[in-house]
Amino acid sequence: MSFNDNSILYIPHYVQMERRGLYLLIDPEVPNWIATDRRGAWTLHKLRAGRTFRELVNEYAADHGIEATRAWLHMDCFLKDARRHRFVDDNPFSGSIYTGRWGYLSLDTLNEFWIHINNSCNLTCAHCLVNSSPRGNPGLRGDKIREIIDQANELGVSRFYFTGGEPMIRRDFFALAEYVTEGKGKELIVLTNGMLLHGERLEQLKRLDSEKLRLQISLDGSSPQVNDPIRGEGSFECIVEGIKNVVPIGFTPTVTTVITSSNLDDLEAIAELLSHLGVGNHHLLWLHRRGRAMRGDGFFPRLEEMVAAAKKLKRKADGLGMTIDNFEALKARLDSRRGTKFDLGNAGLDSLCVYADGVVYPSAALAGCPELRCGNVLEQPLEEIWQNSRICQELRNATVLRKALCRDCHLRFLCGGGDIEHSYLYSQQVSRDGGNFLGPDPYCGLHRAIIEDVLFELAEEGRRAFNRRSGFDAPVVCRAMGEGAAHCAEDAPVQTVHSACVLSFQLDKRRFVQEFYAQAAEEPQESLCCPTGYSPEDTRHIPQEVLDRAYGCGSPIGSAEVREGEVVLDLGSGTGIDCFIAAKKTGPSGMVIGLDMTDQMLEVASESKTLVAENLGYDAVRFVKGFMEAIPLRDKPVDLITSNCVINLSPDKKRVFREIWRVLKDHGRIVVSDIVAQGEVPEHIRANEKLWGECIGGALTEEEFFSFLEQAGFYGLQVLKKSFYKEVDGYRFYSVTVRAYKFEKREGCVYIGQKAVYHGSFRAVMDEEGHLFPCNEAVEVCTDTAEKLSNPPYRGLFTITDPTQGRSEEYSYCGEECCSVEG
């Protein structure tokens, strides 16, 4: 919906931060955030005082020294962008009253379950929470642990954790691990010191599924000199050997480092070591105020030292191509669906821990604290403990709104209030009243520093990705909350923060799409077939096997006006139908490339290619495996790019459009068919994997589709076809075929006296850069604009006069084509 001159626009109350010309605007109540440039921040600041659209345009033109038409274009583009991300609205913002997480959290499912399968260990680490040692509790009998696993499984647990002590000391460890992964089909995370990953144990590990069993290995130094004083004499060499042993057999461990005063300056060296060992993920743990860590003086580093060290490590890891799990987990949280409130941790809610003696505690970090006993699973059912424990009830009623340190913080729903384990243990140490789940987190400053860094990292990614080489220069929302989110069916408006003790987990939409279309390649799916048929003349040379698997929502190749000798790229080429049609049109002097990510589709296409070549008398087609988000071609080799109902399948459509622009030649074109939604697609449809595979869940609105193309640098956008596709739950979806062009500005605004004269039937027109061309009036243009207007889709609508080429100011119009008259 466009703005009219008298539209009054509203914004939420927001907090603004700025770094290196990037402006981060946070709406703390929803929560929501966007990142923009100085002009975007200027615009929203002006709306604080109330402006009509016309007033804003006029003030923008005056303040930025540009003509009114260009100011109108900039404000129209930016405000639509901001409105899509809920930072501008036609009505005043009114937030709903939130009183805490209790009313939003369900006790239907216990999602994760920790088991201290022992408290005995081959090490006596200086920071151990539960004072494990070789003399520690050997744990419950295997049959009892299986009974506990059975109870947890009945409550819906999807992810189990084995910890200790050292879990692999137990002789029945692998039998228990197999009981979880194979017997129950669940994921198992094992926290281990890695010293026993050799010999017979390594052979037993090889028999387990590396997709279901994940290893988290502890290492606290890059050398024996740093690591061994913390973990034990001789531990470094054994841990490194264990890492070396598991990586080649298909396990991808995360390595955890507990930050202490003695290894603070060694973190970068640890990252280098891990990179050399083939470990891609490093996890940092902040010392808890309990256990052996409380015995030594100066074991805890100062907060400002931790902040500086964490930032240095992040830069180092980025250079090594590694991830620091704490940052990645935060990135996923901060990029959650807009409006998702994170309210404290999940301990006692959808996560519990049973200790080596059968006593249940709210979390692994609090196991063994006698005042936090929730019950004993050897004496009463796990479900009864979970539902009725006083400690669990207290945790359910807790909320970040009642946490004094967080109550007025604009990051409270993004941060989630820190770590309740750290809050409890710290308040227990400093307060006469004992532990308090709502006490201050001693690492609050660290959380805040990392959150701000991650937010600006996301913002910087968005800024770098924006294309300024096309002439489009309106202010934009370069990044917004939820843009990179993977939507899950179980996503709730209020969520809890996952335990800081373990690695993060991501959802990959592409894997599901691959599986969905792999099946569709093997067995034709009539419900996916193209609603717009192909001409028999175009498909006579194509095998029936390919025609039966023509999945799409249009026939862009029929509207693309493929010319002989062109290089054509088809994205998501499937079994190759559009490639084979294009090959007939390009002739033997052209080239058609089909890109797909699904092996089964590529196999059908490659098998059919030989017969198509025989029928045509030449071979002009090749198929390539890859993703649209990273097209495996050099810059600018392609004349035409097509795609048939595949862009909506991508989890990162902006990146797809950027890649399309990159590989197109100047004045090249795209003609793509896709599904668009009449209005914003609701979350329950986005989260439905089947509807995502059927091109519904990932659909953009038509306005979004055009905006993303324009921001990627395309111009001359035009809808060639539009038809109703289907209706789902009252939401209407359409098939559209869109054409757009590329031109990269090379010289900037260089003026040599060229002028453009518009000859169309409108009184005036405005291009994508805000240039106004009144009918039959000469307007001075720069060399780049002159070249753009001399090519499709504008060729024929303008006369370009060029004094450097000996042409006069005169012009004539000859019907279909504009011709300059020589002076």
Side-chain angles (χ1 to χ4, degrees), residues 241-441:
E241 180 190 356
I243 295 171
K244 288 180 178 179
N245 288 340
V246 299
V247 170
I249 64 173
F251 287 85
T252 54
T254 287
V255 171
T256 295
T257 299
V258 180
I259 295 185
T260 71
S261 295
S262 59
N263 68 4
L264 197 65
D265 295 330
D266 192 49
L267 296 178
E268 292 174 273
I270 297 175
E272 289 183 349
L273 172 64
L274 297 182
S275 178
H276 176 72
L277 294 174
V279 174
N281 199 13
H282 193 188
H283 183 76
L284 302 179
L285 271 177
W286 327 126
L287 275 169
H288 288 82
R289 279 165 167 75
R290 69 171 296 200
R292 293 197 187 101
M294 302 301 294
R295 297 179 185 177
D297 293 330
F299 206 53
F300 288 81
R302 291 184 292 114
L303 188 64
E304 56 269 25
E305 293 176 328
M306 295 179 67
V307 171
K311 291 186 176 188
K312 286 174 65 177
L313 176 61
K314 176 63 164 58
R315 290 193 293 269
K316 180 63 141 183
D318 287 345
L320 294 170
M322 293 178 60
T323 58
I324 302 301
D325 193 69
N326 312 69
F327 286 82
E328 291 304 303
L330 262 179
K331 186 178 289 187
R333 188 195 312 169
L334 297 173
D335 209 15
S336 296
R337 188 180 67 194
R338 179 181 58 243
T340 303
K341 289 181 171 69
F342 286 90
D343 193 347
L344 300 179
N346 63 345
L349 281 82
D350 65 356
S351 177
L352 283 177
C353 173
V354 63
Y355 196 46
D357 58 2
V359 176
V360 176
Y361 295 90
S363 74
L366 299 175
C369 294
E371 72 279 10
L372 296 180
R373 291 168 58 103
C374 299
N376 192 318
V377 76
L378 301 179
E379 300 171 359
Q380 60 187 129
L382 181 62
E383 182 176 16
E384 184 178 313
I385 296 171
W386 176 42
Q387 296 283 352
N388 301 327
S389 158
R390 177 187 61 81
I391 298 298
C392 290
Q393 299 261 10
E394 181 181 342
L395 283 165
R396 288 171 207 142
N397 290 320
T399 173
V400 71
L401 294 180
R402 299 211 310 272
K403 193 165 184 174
L405 197 61
C406 305
R407 191 178 298 123
D408 298 321
C409 177
H410 61 280
L411 298 175
R412 62 185 178 276
F413 289 131
L414 298 174
C415 169
D419 191 303
I420 61 170
E421 287 94 345
H422 285 299
S423 296
Y424 183 87
L425 295 170
Y426 179 71
S427 59
Q428 186 180 55
Q429 178 191 4
V430 301
S431 171
R432 293 180 180 178
D433 298 328
N436 182 357
F437 293 122
L438 298 178
D441 184 332

Side-chain angles (χ1 to χ4, degrees), residues 596-710:
D596 206 278
M597 67 177 182
T598 308
D599 290 328
Q600 291 85 345
M601 287 288 185
L602 290 167
E603 184 178 346
V604 174
S606 297
E607 289 174 354
S608 303
K609 187 168 90 84
T610 302
L611 181 57
V612 169
E614 290 176 1
N615 292 339
L616 289 176
Y618 56 87
D619 183 5
V621 180
R622 67 183 177 97
F623 293 101
V624 178
K625 184 177 180 179
F627 297 112
M628 297 181 290
E629 297 88 352
I631 298 172
L633 296 177
R634 59 181 174 82
D635 294 353
K636 300 184 179 181
V638 179
D639 297 289
L640 166 67
I641 293 179
T642 61
S643 74
N644 194 347
C645 204
V646 294
I647 293 175
N648 68 81
L649 299 174
S650 170
D652 192 346
K653 297 170 182 63
K654 285 188 174 181
R655 181 170 293 183
V656 173
F657 289 136
R658 293 197 300 269
E659 279 291 278
I660 291 173
W661 195 89
R662 179 183 66 81
V663 301
L664 268 180
K665 297 176 182 176
D666 274 342
H667 310 300
R669 66 201 185 281
I670 66 169
V671 180
V672 297
S673 294
D674 220 302
I675 298 301
V676 296
Q678 186 174 36
E680 185 176 0
V681 179
E683 292 300 328
H684 76 277
I685 292 180
R686 287 199 181 280
N688 187 306
E689 290 185 336
K690 185 173 185 295
L691 291 176
W692 192 283
E694 291 178 356
C695 306
I696 295 296
L700 300 171
T701 65
E702 189 171 333
E703 181 187 285
E704 283 178 311
F705 199 91
F706 269 70
S707 178
F708 286 9
L709 278 170
E710 191 174 45

